[in-house]
Amino acid sequence: MIADLEHVEGGVALVFEGKSIRFPGHAAAEVEACFEHEEPTRVSDLPGDLDLEGRLVLVRRLVREGFLRVSG
């Protein structure tokens, strides 16, 4: 998938398949990790300061939007 991660005022934006999804700055490390990882990664292994519930919300959104897939 062709995608870009843009730093925007107050956070980051993930741009792919004609979509631009913005995330607040406090979730930037987790979004960047999802953008950069090419291997399967556990939600609990993501870097950043979000708690587990916040990470699950982020990953569910990225799955729903079609950026991530659930594996295994």
Side-chain angles (χ1 to χ4, degrees):
M1 167 184 321
I2 298 173
D4 287 312
L5 184 66
E6 300 175 354
H7 292 272
V8 296
E9 185 175 335
V12 293
L14 189 57
V15 181
F16 67 101
E17 296 182 358
K19 302 176 187 180
S20 179
I21 307 169
R22 295 178 69 116
F23 298 93
H26 66 270
E30 291 85 347
V31 175
E32 288 176 12
C34 290
F35 175 75
E36 293 172 356
H37 278 87
E38 294 181 17
E39 302 287 325
T41 303
R42 293 175 188 240
V43 173
S44 60
D45 292 339
L46 291 172
D49 296 327
L50 290 179
D51 60 13
L52 182 57
E53 184 175 326
R55 291 174 186 204
L56 288 171
V57 168
L58 170 68
V59 169
R60 284 185 192 122
R61 170 113 189 256
L62 292 173
V63 168
R64 188 175 63 244
E65 295 288 349
F67 185 76
L68 294 179
R69 292 184 308 203
V70 177
S71 68

